[in-house]
Amino acid sequence: MDTKTTEGVKVSVTTNYLPDYSSPVQQHFVFAYKISIENNSEFTVKLLRRHWYIHDATGTMREVEGEGVVGQQPVLEPGESHEYVSGCNLKTGMGKMRGTYLMERMVDGKQFHVTIPEFSLIVPYKLN
């Protein structure tokens, strides 16, 4: 599990390779990732946007940016957490992702970026 805390907001990531949705012969590798966002700050926060950097083993990088996460803009009271699962496809069996969430403190409207820790996407047989 990869974890990073920014301004009291902790982001943890775990990943899984999805062989049933992948086709290595066609250079199509699908991964799922589970994100847990914990609000350990003293303020209620809202997740507004996400910004991802996705790298594969060929050095290709793509960016994905948009509102919320999986169609939601969760509001987290102090001590609350939010989990979601999403996915990513790569043209190689190895890659990595990193990014940020744009959050807003509800008490005063202050916006800030929360770092999503860099995590690896690796087909299990590549580790042998």
Side-chain angles (χ1 to χ4, degrees), residues 24-117:
V25 173
Q26 296 176 327
Q27 296 181 325
H28 183 76
F29 300 87
V30 180
F31 298 87
Y33 54 89
K34 181 179 180 180
I35 304 269
S36 175
I37 304 165
E38 294 178 53
N39 183 8
N40 296 319
S41 78
E42 59 188 73
F43 303 102
T44 301
V45 296
K46 180 177 183 177
L47 191 156
L48 301 175
R49 301 186 65 77
R50 70 192 181 287
H51 189 162
W52 287 106
Y53 298 92
I54 305 166
H55 302 264
D56 69 20
T58 66
T60 302
M61 191 270 290
R62 54 190 165 128
E63 289 184 63
V64 176
E65 190 174 9
E67 283 190 2
V69 290
V70 292
Q72 299 180 325
Q73 291 182 309
V75 175
L76 302 174
E77 300 286 338
E80 288 186 337
S81 63
H82 177 78
E83 290 186 349
Y84 71 94
V85 176
S86 191
C88 173
N89 63 305
L90 298 176
K91 292 184 178 184
T92 62
M94 295 174 60
K96 62 185 177 180
M97 290 178 65
R98 63 182 173 84
T100 58
Y101 295 125
L102 177 62
M103 308 288 277
E104 179 179 46
R105 285 194 331 200
M106 301 304 288
V107 66
D108 59 8
K110 178 189 176 211
Q111 294 185 355
F112 60 99
H113 286 95
V114 170
T115 301
I116 304 166

